Amino acid sequence: MIKRRQFLLVATLAMSRVAIAQTTIAKPRIYMVTWRGKTDAEAGFVDFWKTQQIQPTFIWQDAAQRADKLAAIAADIVQTKPDLVYAWGTPATLGLAGSADKPHPLIGSVIPLVFAIVADPVAANLTQSLTSHRRRLAGVSHVAPMATQLAAMQSYRAITRLGIIYNPLEPNSVANVSAWQALGRAHGFEVVSEAFAITNNKLNAADANVHTEMVARLVKAGVNWLYLGPDSYLFSQLASVAGAASAHGLATFASVESMLNSEAPVLMGLVSKFTQVGQFAGFKAAQLLSGERDVPIETLKRFSLIVRLDTAKQIGAYPPLSLIDYAEFRAHTIKS
């Protein structure tokens, strides 16, 4: 495991000035598309450009977690012809650039696109390869390898059964459940999943009582960990889901930093810091603007293991002493 305060390092950022120097665009226009408002990833992306000689102009649009808004945003991008598009998350990136087998004719090809906070670009069919995708598209994934997440959970408490609550309309979330089921078979534990209810291919209205019942069924099935995957809808319902888990004394593990930064009682997680993800995406944007092809899709090289002591106290699950050497302990919540 990695040592404390050595979690996050993106050495390639040092090369960013070389990439920028090669572009002929004096003041690039970057069209920023967020999915649920601005996050620390966008702050990191903008901060990256503050260190550069070339200062872009930013155009902002938020999809407000509505897939139907993406078509209008894509049409505006085609009309305004920015030098580069930034997209946050899997739904926004797919909605703008299209899938690997049905790419948008302009966005991600004629107009380069860089993304951040996409959990699994291959499983989501955004690309068939992280290193040779033949598109003017690049980005940064924020989720630690599943085997590493598994080791982090087991360093705190052995897994008997793993519970997952997910959005069945997010391809990334469905693929995530399948991957954990395969990992469970390989390591001798069962995965029990609960999907948010849908009607006519739309999510039902949020209901805290329903979420409480979902968690109760998982507890009855014998799960001793609830995995909180990289799922935008799950994040929007995190307070009621994590609250129900805490009421049952159920340990929760987050795959995304924003879950640990929320006021919801999440126990721990192995995460990429959104600020560094955004900075790395900025570097990749610089590569695209300089005309580079097949810019690789990557993750950060270091992850942060974070334990929320307030939640540990609530559920009576204090961390083992073995975590002291490499975990970051937080005594209270941080508002994002």
Side-chain angles (χ1 to χ4, degrees):
M1 297 292 290
I2 51 182
K3 295 296 183 182
R4 186 178 358 199
R5 299 188 181 91
Q6 294 180 340
F7 301 117
L8 292 157
L9 175 64
V10 185
T12 48
L13 288 176
M15 300 187 298
S16 58
R17 293 184 184 275
V18 176
I20 287 291
Q22 297 173 355
T23 183
T24 58
I25 304 171
K27 192 175 180 63
R29 293 177 303 129
I30 299 180
Y31 200 112
M32 306 283 291
V33 181
T34 54
W35 180 243
R36 51 176 175 83
K38 294 179 183 179
T39 71
D40 285 346
E42 288 73 55
F45 186 87
V46 172
D47 282 347
F48 167 84
W49 291 98
K50 291 177 181 177
T51 67
Q52 307 303 312
Q53 293 180 349
I54 294 175
Q55 298 297 303
T57 298
F58 297 105
I59 305 164
W60 295 88
Q61 286 276 17
D62 182 58
Q65 298 189 66
R66 288 177 49 191
D68 59 313
K69 289 189 67 173
L70 293 173
I73 292 174
D76 190 52
I77 290 170
V78 170
Q79 182 177 9
T80 57
K81 297 181 177 62
D83 299 297
L84 181 131
V85 175
Y86 165 98
W88 186 100
T90 304
T93 304
L94 280 172
L96 297 175
S99 61
D101 50 348
K102 293 182 180 179
H104 190 281
L106 294 176
I107 302 172
S109 56
V110 176
I111 302 172
L113 180 144
V114 66
F115 61 78
I117 319 298
V118 171
D120 192 334
V122 174
N125 195 27
L126 181 61
T127 180
Q128 295 177 350
S129 169
L130 299 180
T131 56
S132 182
H133 37 77
R134 301 180 183 278
R135 299 172 77 182
R136 296 185 70 191
L137 178 147
V140 184
S141 177
H142 60 301
V143 177
M146 283 188 174
T148 310
Q149 294 183 64
L150 174 60
M153 272 188 275
Q154 291 182 321
S155 71
Y156 201 107
R157 172 187 288 176
I159 299 174
T160 54
R161 283 194 174 108
L162 179 71
I164 301 178
I165 293 177
Y166 71 102
N167 176 6
L169 297 182
E170 273 194 40
N172 174 73
S173 298
V174 175
N176 186 65
V177 173
S178 297
W180 273 107
Q181 288 170 338
L183 194 64
R185 288 191 293 270
H187 289 268
F189 63 87
E190 184 182 353
V191 173
V192 184
S193 62
E194 284 273 344
F196 289 111
I198 59 173
T199 301
N200 297 326
N201 207 36
K202 291 185 178 180
L203 286 161
N204 292 356
D207 190 323
N209 292 329
V210 172
H211 300 161
T212 299
E213 293 169 2
M214 294 169 75
V215 172
R217 286 194 294 269
L218 292 175
V219 171
K220 187 176 181 180
V223 307
N224 70 327
W225 275 103
L226 177 60
Y227 179 76
L228 305 170
D231 185 313
S232 292
Y233 183 73
L234 172 62
F235 178 79
S236 71
Q237 308 304 313
L238 188 62
S240 57
V241 171
S246 178
H248 284 280
L250 180 59
T252 46
F253 184 91
S255 59
V256 182
E257 182 197 12
S258 53
M259 293 180 174
L260 291 158
N261 288 350
S262 74
E263 295 185 358
V266 178
L267 176 61
M268 70 177 297
L270 185 71
V271 300
S272 296
K273 295 291 183 70
F274 273 26
T275 301
Q276 278 82 8
V277 171
Q279 290 171 343
F280 200 11
F283 168 64
K284 291 189 173 295
Q287 290 180 296
L288 288 170
L289 287 170
S290 70
E292 289 191 37
R293 296 278 179 171
D294 278 338
V295 177
I297 297 166
E298 299 180 79
T299 63
L300 298 178
K301 306 306 180 187
R302 297 285 189 270
F303 300 92
S304 294
L305 181 63
I306 299 171
V307 177
R308 287 263 300 270
L309 294 178
D310 56 320
T311 304
K313 182 178 180 180
Q314 285 181 32
I315 68 173
Y318 291 97
L321 292 177
S322 58
L323 293 187
I324 291 176
D325 285 340
Y326 52 84
E328 174 186 336
F329 296 99
R330 295 181 180 174
H332 55 80
T333 59
I334 299 174
K335 292 184 179 180
S336 54

